[in-house]
Amino acid sequence: MGEELGRWAEPGLLVLTSLAEGAKHGYAITMDVAEQAGVTLGPGTLYAALQRLEQRGLIEGLPAEGRRRPYRLTAAGAAELSAQAERMRRLATLSLDRLQVRPT
Amino acid sequence: MSSDARLVRALVGCYPPVWRRRYGEEYAQLLCDMQVHRRPRLVADSLLGAARAHGGALMSGRPSFALPVWAAALFAAAGIGFAKLAEDLSGVATTAHAAVIVAAAVALLALAVAAAPAAAALVPGRAADAWRYVAVPIVGAAAWCGVARVAAAATAGRTVHSGPNIAAFALIAVTGLGVLAATAWAATRILQRVPLAGPGRLRGSAVTAMATGMAGATFAVLVWGLRVRATDAAAFHSDQGLLATPFVSSWLAVLIALCAASVLGAVAARHHRTAP
């Protein structure tokens, strides 16, 4: 399924979507993404995404729980995810509409 | 320590120190949770992530001079190779040869302009500990001259393609590359220690001019080689200098090094243009 998602399987977007449900640490994010999107995020890919999102202020790290550190969506992250989802929704609607009227 | 723990430690150790300080512990825990020792794909993913983190460290934060400096070092090495390659072919493809020299001068002059504010900051002594790195190219050049003199004395009277002469040439070349690398390293250390002075737009323009000069020199070397081939096909078979005799291989090696330097320069230019 991950391959089918194409560019929408971009790790940053998947991480933001996962954190929209609530704060999660790295392993919980990979499990959630695998379960919900069918995409296996490797550890290097996940932490590259986490670092990039954190640097852009879209997520923030919470105090560590043992050796695990949960991350949560910031207001900016929620706005970014919302904008991306809206863009995807418009594109999906447009695609489906045009496919329906396509001459056969 | 178990082999699993050793693998996790090794994988975390592949990341840059700054990254490890921030993410190392939680990342190690993730690797344990994912049972990375049983999943080679995840090991590969971690190694790729480490490579990206090293690249990111080079490109992150304030615009770094590491890339332009290393691009210039590679460009200089390729330029010396070109000079050795062309010295036996004087009078052939002179226009393209002159274009190489002009483009190279533009590239190195632009680098000097880009680094000038940092050099100016060094002179008043605002970064006193940076001065010790200035000794690196001086000592390196002196050492290289010494090696070259000893090698020349040891091979006096030998034919160009004799074993001792080839060994001496390889020694001089390797030592020279080592001095260039040490100089580039020292330059990056100096530039890390002095404030990044001067207007950002000037810096960005200078690095762009450097990359343009490098690309121009690369193209001119391509044209030069083609013209040499068209003008004097015997140049490919003659028994000349050590670099000129296997002409095509040497020419391609110089072109590849110039291309790599140009790409590094272009990446640096892009970074300096887009940095705040």
Side-chain angles (χ1 to χ4, degrees):
Chain A
M1 187 175 175
E3 289 72 21
E4 291 166 15
L5 286 170
R7 63 171 300 190
W8 308 119
E10 198 273 319
L13 195 56
L14 292 172
V15 170
L16 289 179
T17 304
S18 177
L19 293 181
E21 188 189 40
K24 292 185 185 72
H25 56 71
Y27 187 58
I29 293 171
T30 62
M31 295 300 288
D32 183 52
V33 168
E35 195 176 313
Q36 299 298 328
V39 176
T40 303
L41 285 179
T45 304
L46 173 66
Y47 265 81
L50 286 176
Q51 184 183 13
R52 200 167 55 244
L53 294 171
E54 194 176 30
Q55 282 170 350
R56 290 177 59 192
L58 302 181
I59 63 170
E60 62 186 356
L62 298 172
E65 296 168 359
R67 292 179 74 198
R68 297 184 179 92
R69 182 186 302 279
Y71 289 86
R72 76 175 169 200
L73 214 55
T74 62
E80 173 70 19
L81 179 61
S82 175
Q84 291 283 350
E86 179 59 30
R87 198 164 63 87
M88 286 157 59
R89 192 185 63 78
R90 281 202 307 271
L91 184 61
T93 304
L94 177 68
S95 304
L96 292 169
D97 287 351
R98 288 187 174 177
L99 281 170
Q100 279 176 355
V101 299
R102 192 173 63 161
T104 53
Chain B
M1 185 188 292
S2 69
S3 59
D4 303 348
R6 271 198 296 272
L7 176 62
V8 166
R9 196 172 165 181
L11 289 174
V12 176
C14 289
Y15 279 83
V18 173
W19 192 97
R20 288 201 304 269
R21 279 195 288 278
R22 168 64 184 84
Y23 298 103
E25 197 154 335
E26 57 192 275
Y27 189 67
Q29 183 59 50
L30 174 69
L31 294 176
C32 293
D33 289 341
M34 295 182 91
Q35 298 188 310
V36 72
H37 60 282
R38 292 185 184 173
R39 302 166 76 179
R41 265 184 66 184
L42 298 188
V43 172
D45 184 83
S46 182
L47 291 173
L48 281 174
R52 278 195 298 266
H54 280 285
L58 200 62
M59 296 292 294
S60 66
R62 73 176 198 176
S64 161
F65 262 112
L67 271 180
V69 165
W70 283 102
L74 187 57
F75 184 76
I80 293 168
F82 173 74
K84 287 298 294 173
L85 179 61
E87 68 182 1
D88 291 323
L89 298 166
S90 56
V92 182
T94 49
T95 307
H97 190 274
V100 175
I101 293 170
V102 170
V106 167
L108 296 179
L109 186 65
L111 179 70
V113 169
L122 185 65
V123 173
R126 274 188 275 169
D129 65 330
W131 272 105
R132 60 194 160 126
Y133 294 104
V134 175
V136 172
I138 297 168
V139 172
W144 184 80
C145 285
V147 167
R149 274 176 178 271
V150 170
T155 56
R158 305 273 186 176
T159 57
V160 172
H161 293 276
S162 64
N165 202 48
I166 292 173
F169 177 80
L171 178 67
I172 291 171
V174 168
T175 312
L177 289 175
V179 171
L180 265 178
T183 302
W185 170 80
T188 55
R189 301 294 288 184
I190 290 170
L191 291 165
Q192 281 169 2
R193 280 166 169 71
V194 298
L196 199 59
R201 184 176 293 181
L202 171 69
R203 226 172 22 245
S205 301
V207 176
T208 302
M210 182 198 76
T212 306
M214 288 178 176
T218 305
F219 182 70
V221 168
L222 172 70
V223 172
W224 176 84
L226 295 173
R227 290 298 299 271
V228 167
R229 184 172 193 178
T231 312
D232 181 13
F236 288 87
H237 309 292
S238 58
D239 187 27
Q240 292 172 320
L242 283 173
L243 279 181
T245 300
F247 184 85
V248 175
S249 314
S250 302
W251 175 52
L252 287 178
V254 167
L255 262 181
I256 290 168
L258 284 172
C259 280
S262 300
V263 169
L264 276 182
V267 171
R270 185 167 176 267
H271 187 50
H272 277 264
R273 278 204 315 273
T274 55

